[in-house]
Amino acid sequence: MTKSFASYQIENQTDKPSEVLIRFFDMQHKLIAETKLPKIEFSEISENIRNSKTIDLENVFVANFSLKKYQDLNLHLLKCTAENVFFENKTEKIDLSKLHITAPNIAFSNCIFSADEISFSGTVFNSKSTSFDGCRFYFSDEISFQKCEFVGSTNFKHAAFSKGTKNFKTITFANEQVDFTDTDFGDGDLSFSGTNFGNGKISFKIANFGNGRTDFSETEFGTNEATFEKAEFGNGDVTFRNTKFLSKYLNFISLKFGNGKKDFSNASLGLENVTFKNSNFGNGKISFRQANFGAGIVDFHYCEFGNGDLIFDSAMFKSGTINFRTTNFGDGDVSFKRTNFGDGELNFQASTQKSGTFRFENAVLGNGEFNFEDTDFSNTDVTFFDVDFGSGKVTLRNSLLQTLSLNNSVLANYFDLRIQSCELLDLSDTIVKDIVDLAPYDRPIRIKNIKLSGMRLLGRLYLDWNLSNVKELIYKQQTTHRDRKEQFRILKENYSSNGQYAFEDEAYVEFKRCEAKAKLEVESQKSIYKRFKANFSYGFNLLILDKMGRYATSPLRVLTTMFVTYLAFTLSFIFLSMYGNSHILSSLFPAEDPRILGLTARAFYHSAITFLTIGYGDYYPDGIARWISSAEGFIGLFLMSYFTVAFARKA
C-alpha cells in the first residue's frame, strides 16, 4: 500500500465479494495508487482474541475493527502481528484501549487505521518489542495513546498521523529504545505531557511535528541519548517546559521551528553536552528562562533566530563551553537577565543581529573567556548592566555595534574593546580594576559618542586622545559641564598613570575649562554681586590662565604671550615719547649727550629691563610712563613665573 495519500475510496468487487479495491488519491484528488485486498469482518478474528490465541494478519482489509468489548482483559497471545493491514471503522472509533496484551512481539507494520477516533488509551503492551513501524493513523479527529505502558522497546518509525489531536500524555516507556524516527505527526495538536520515556535511547530524528501545538512539558527522558536531530516543527507553539533530560548527550542538531512560541522554561537539558547546532528557530518568542544546562558543551553555533524575543533569564550553565559562534539572532530582543554562565568559555564570535536589543543584566560570568569578537550588531543596542565578568579575558575586538553599554559593571579583568565602530560607548558608573583597551595599533575606532561619568578608575584605560577624537565625543554629550569636568578629570588621571603626558595635558585643559564653566553656571543663579564676581573670575581664567598658557601646559604659548606683551609695552613707551609728555630718561648723561640711546632703542631697552625685573637704573621713566613701567614689571614677573611653571611641567 502507498505510504502517503490524502483520501481513499473503497469499492466492493461484485465478482469477488470477499475482496475490495482501494484507490488512493493525493491532495488534488489525483489517483496515485490502487490495490486489491481480501476483506474480512472483525468477527472473523474475534474468536482468536477471545481465546487468547494468535493474531496474525497480512495484506487484508478489516472492517468495523474495534476491541472495546475486550477492555480490562489480559490477552495472552501467542502472536500479535499485522502487516499491510487496512483497519477501518466508519460507525464508531477504533478502540484498543484498556487492554493488557502479552505476546513475544507486538507488531503493526505498515498498517492503516482509519476512523473518526482511534484510541489505545490505557493499554499495556507487555512485549519484548512493540512496533507501529510505517503505520498511518488517518482521518481521525483524535488519536490517543494516553496512559499506555510499553514494557519493551517501542517503534513508531516512519509512522504518519492525520490532522487531528494526538494524545501521548502520561505514557510510561520501559528502559528500552523508543523510536519515532521519521514520524510524521501531521497538523493538529500533539501532546507528550507527563510522559516518562525511560532510560533507553530516544529518537525523534527527522520527525515532522506539523503545524499544531506540540507539548513535551513535564516529560522525563532517561539517562540514555535523546535525539531530535533534523526534526521539523510547524507554526504552532512548542513547549518543553519543566521537561527533564537526564542523558549525558542531548541532540537538537538542525532543528527547524515555525513561527509559534518555543518554550524551554525550567527544563533540565542534559547532564553534559547539549547541541542545537545549525537549528532554525523561526519567528516567535523563544524562552530558556530558568533552564538548567549540563556540565558539558552547550552548542548554539550556526543557529538562526527570527523576529521573536529570545530569553535566557535566570538560566543556569555550568563549567562547559557555551558556543553561540556565527549565530544569527534575528530581529528580536535577546535577554540574559540574572543568567549564571558558570566557568566555561562564552563564545559569540562572528554572531550577528539585525536589530533589537542584546542585554546582559545582573548576569554572572565565571573564569572562562568571554568572546564577542568580529560580531555585527551595527543596528543593535548591546548592554551589560551590573554584570560580574569573573576573571576571564573579555574581548569585543573588531565588533560592529550600535551602542555598547557596560553601565554599573565591575571590569576586574582585561577588556579588549578595540571595536570597529559604535554609535555610543557607555562606560559610566563602571569600576575598572584592570586594563580596558580602546586603542588599536593599526586603525582608529569609529565612536560617535562616549560616556565615562561616574567611572571608578582603579586600573588603566587605553584610549587615543587624537585618533578617537575624545574631546569632541565628550562635548557632544547632552549633559552638564560638571559631568564633562569629571570625565576629563578621569582621563587626565588615567593618562598620567599611563605615562601619556601629552594626552594628560589635553585632558587637563578641558577639565579646567569645564570646571570654570560649571562654577559659572552655579554662581549665575545667585545674587547680582556673586554673578558679577563669577563672571569676572571666569574672564580672568579664560584670558590669563587659558589663552595665555593653556593652564600651564604650553610653555611656548606663554613665551609667545611674553613677547607680545613686551612688544606692546615698548610701543606704548615710543608713542608716549613722540606724542605725549612722558619720556624715558637717562640717569648717567645729560639730555644733550650723544651717548644717550635713541628714542626707539631707549624704549626697547627700558621695556626689557622692566619686564625682566632687572632694574639697572641707567634709564628711568617719568610722567605716566612710571605707572606703565610698574604694570609691566608686575606682568613680567607673573609671566616669567607662569613660564617657569609651564616649562617645569613639560620637562
Side-chain angles (χ1 to χ4, degrees):
M1 289 183 288
T2 183
K3 289 187 176 182
S4 179
F5 57 95
S7 61
Y8 70 92
Q9 185 181 75
I10 295 178
E11 182 180 312
N12 293 311
Q13 302 296 293
T14 55
D15 55 338
K16 291 184 178 181
S18 62
E19 189 176 81
V20 295
L21 173 66
I22 307 175
R23 294 188 176 93
F24 299 96
F25 303 93
D26 63 12
M27 295 292 293
Q28 288 74 39
H29 204 67
K30 180 180 177 181
L31 181 66
I32 55 177
E34 62 180 22
T35 186
K36 290 183 179 181
L37 294 176
K39 177 182 178 181
I40 62 174
E41 292 292 335
F42 173 69
S43 59
E44 297 179 36
I45 60 174
S46 62
E47 184 67 25
N48 287 351
I49 296 174
R50 189 165 42 249
N51 296 321
S52 298
K53 292 184 178 180
T54 295
I55 298 177
D56 186 9
L57 302 174
E58 183 176 356
N59 294 315
V60 294
F61 175 81
V62 181
N64 303 316
F65 181 73
S66 176
L67 297 179
K68 183 177 181 180
K69 66 175 66 176
Y70 301 104
Q71 289 180 357
D72 301 318
L73 292 180
N74 291 323
L75 304 179
H76 293 271
L77 304 176
L78 298 176
K79 189 176 183 181
C80 185
T81 60
E83 184 174 355
N84 293 318
V85 178
F86 197 125
F87 296 99
E88 183 190 59
N89 196 324
K90 289 190 174 182
T91 59
E92 58 180 341
K93 69 180 179 181
I94 293 179
D95 193 344
L96 292 92
S97 62
K98 298 182 180 179
L99 301 175
H100 191 128
I101 304 174
T102 301
N105 293 289
I106 300 172
F108 293 89
S109 299
N110 298 314
C111 292
I112 297 175
F113 294 85
S114 176
D116 291 338
E117 184 178 346
I118 302 170
S119 177
F120 291 83
S121 296
T123 292
V124 177
F125 295 91
N126 187 3
S127 173
K128 183 178 180 180
S129 66
T130 301
S131 175
F132 289 90
D133 184 8
C135 286
R136 273 82 73 207
F137 301 88
Y138 280 0
F139 314 110
S140 176
D141 294 330
E142 181 177 357
I143 303 164
S144 178
F145 284 84
Q146 184 174 5
K147 295 184 178 180
C148 281
E149 181 179 345
F150 293 87
V151 176
S153 64
T154 308
N155 181 10
F156 279 86
K157 193 173 181 180
H158 309 302
F161 293 82
S162 65
K163 296 181 179 180
T165 300
K166 278 75 65 176
N167 186 348
F168 287 82
K169 293 180 180 179
T170 60
I171 293 177
T172 300
F173 291 97
N175 296 326
E176 303 289 339
Q177 181 174 353
V178 179
D179 195 349
F180 283 88
T181 299
D182 194 31
T183 301
D184 184 354
F185 289 98
D187 296 337
D189 292 347
L190 167 66
S191 178
F192 281 89
S193 177
T195 290
N196 188 327
F197 282 90
N199 291 321
K201 185 176 181 180
I202 316 298
S203 176
F204 283 88
K205 189 173 182 179
I206 59 176
N208 187 337
F209 290 91
N211 287 319
R213 183 174 182 267
T214 302
D215 185 1
F216 280 90
S217 64
E218 310 288 345
T219 59
E220 183 172 321
F221 294 79
T223 56
N224 214 318
E225 178 184 347
T227 177
F228 284 77
E229 182 176 354
K230 295 183 180 179
E232 185 171 338
F233 297 85
N235 290 324
D237 294 347
V238 179
T239 178
F240 285 86
R241 188 174 60 252
N242 298 319
T243 299
K244 293 182 179 180
F245 292 92
L246 303 178
S247 62
K248 291 184 177 181
Y249 180 65
L250 180 57
N251 184 350
F252 285 102
I253 292 177
S254 300
L255 290 186
K256 185 175 181 181
F257 292 92
N259 296 328
K261 296 178 181 178
K262 278 71 68 173
D263 189 357
F264 291 83
S265 298
N266 203 38
S268 296
L269 297 171
L271 301 179
E272 292 186 9
N273 298 338
V274 54
T275 176
F276 287 85
K277 177 183 175 182
N278 204 40
S279 292
N280 189 323
F281 284 84
N283 298 321
K285 181 179 178 181
I286 305 154
S287 177
F288 287 88
R289 190 190 306 271
Q290 295 182 320
N292 196 325
F293 293 86
I297 296 172
V298 179
D299 193 354
F300 281 90
H301 86 277
Y302 298 135
C303 283
E304 295 276 341
F305 295 93
N307 59 19
D309 294 344
L310 174 59
I311 300 171
F312 282 87
D313 294 353
S314 299
M316 178 72 70
F317 297 88
K318 295 185 175 64
S319 57
T321 297
I322 305 164
N323 191 354
F324 285 94
R325 182 165 52 89
T326 60
T327 296
N328 183 351
F329 289 98
D331 297 295
D333 295 335
V334 181
S335 174
F336 292 93
K337 188 175 183 180
R338 294 188 299 275
T339 305
N340 191 324
F341 290 97
D343 290 326
E345 177 186 357
L346 180 54
N347 189 353
F348 290 91
Q349 185 177 12
S351 59
T352 61
Q353 186 173 357
K354 295 178 182 177
S355 62
T357 62
F358 201 91
R359 185 173 180 86
F360 295 81
E361 183 175 345
N362 302 114
V364 178
L365 283 73
N367 299 321
E369 179 178 343
F370 180 88
N371 189 345
F372 216 75
E373 189 173 346
D374 298 317
T375 56
D376 185 355
F377 287 74
S378 50
N379 295 311
T380 301
D381 298 329
V382 179
T383 300
F384 298 87
F385 180 81
D386 197 17
V387 172
D388 181 354
F389 285 96
S391 58
K393 175 184 175 183
V394 178
T395 176
L396 289 88
R397 188 159 58 94
N398 294 328
S399 293
L400 298 168
L401 309 164
Q402 179 165 286
T403 65
L404 173 61
S405 174
L406 294 162
N407 186 270
N408 210 44
S409 296
V410 178
L411 314 185
N413 37 336
Y414 175 70
F415 271 70
D416 187 348
L417 298 185
R418 292 175 291 176
I419 57 181
Q420 281 200 43
S421 66
C422 186
E423 295 284 331
L424 169 63
L425 175 60
D426 186 359
L427 296 172
S428 57
D429 297 315
T430 54
I431 300 175
V432 178
K433 296 184 177 181
D434 205 297
I435 293 174
V436 175
D437 193 350
L438 279 158
Y441 66 90
D442 56 346
R443 57 176 174 79
I445 293 178
R446 299 191 299 272
I447 300 176
K448 292 188 177 180
N449 205 341
I450 191 169
K451 290 184 178 180
L452 304 173
S453 54
M455 175 187 282
R456 302 294 184 268
L457 190 58
L458 308 178
R460 294 186 178 184
L461 176 67
Y462 287 96
L463 178 63
D464 192 292
W465 177 273
N466 296 321
L467 291 179
S468 298
N469 297 314
V470 176
K471 174 183 173 181
E472 289 77 6
L473 293 178
I474 293 179
Y475 275 115
K476 282 198 305 185
Q477 296 176 14
Q478 300 297 317
T479 186
T480 63
H481 289 298
R482 182 178 180 276
D483 191 49
R484 294 191 185 101
K485 176 195 75 171
E486 286 302 308
Q487 294 182 64
F488 283 123
R489 180 191 61 78
I490 291 168
L491 288 170
K492 179 258 179 191
E493 294 175 355
N494 174 70
Y495 288 134
S496 178
S497 299
N498 294 347
Q500 297 171 296
Y501 301 118
F503 294 166
E504 178 194 1
D505 286 347
E506 296 293 338
Y508 177 69
V509 169
E510 300 309 322
F511 161 70
K512 295 300 290 183
R513 287 172 176 171
C514 290
E515 183 181 52
K517 291 177 181 178
K519 185 176 180 180
L520 180 63
E521 284 180 345
V522 173
E523 296 298 323
S524 63
Q525 306 300 319
K526 298 180 179 179
S527 64
I528 295 176
Y529 169 73
K530 289 187 176 180
R531 289 203 301 269
F532 173 78
K533 183 181 177 181
N535 279 278
F536 178 81
S537 176
Y538 177 76
F540 176 82
N541 274 278
L542 179 64
L543 178 63
I544 305 301
L545 299 180
D546 190 351
K547 299 302 181 182
M548 285 187 176
R550 299 185 79 244
Y551 294 97
T553 63
S554 177
L556 182 60
R557 180 176 288 202
V558 179
L559 196 61
T560 302
T561 302
M562 291 171 65
F563 177 76
V564 171
T565 304
Y566 161 70
L567 188 60
F569 276 106
T570 300
L571 294 176
S572 68
F573 290 135
I574 294 173
F575 180 82
L576 289 173
S577 296
M578 293 177 63
Y579 301 104
N581 191 24
S582 183
H583 305 279
I584 304 300
L585 304 176
S586 173
S587 62
L588 301 177
F589 309 104
E592 296 81 9
D593 195 307
R595 288 174 294 180
I596 294 178
L597 297 174
L599 186 148
T600 302
R602 269 181 287 156
F604 273 97
Y605 176 75
H606 173 72
S607 183
I609 296 302
T610 304
F611 189 90
L612 298 173
T613 65
I614 296 174
Y616 289 133
D618 50 347
Y619 288 90
Y620 64 94
D622 74 338
I624 195 172
R626 293 176 178 176
W627 299 104
I628 295 175
S629 295
S630 299
E632 183 179 13
F634 174 79
I635 293 173
L637 180 63
F638 173 79
L639 289 176
M640 283 191 294
S641 301
Y642 198 9
F643 175 77
T644 302
V645 172
F647 185 80
R649 180 186 176 90
K650 276 296 181 185

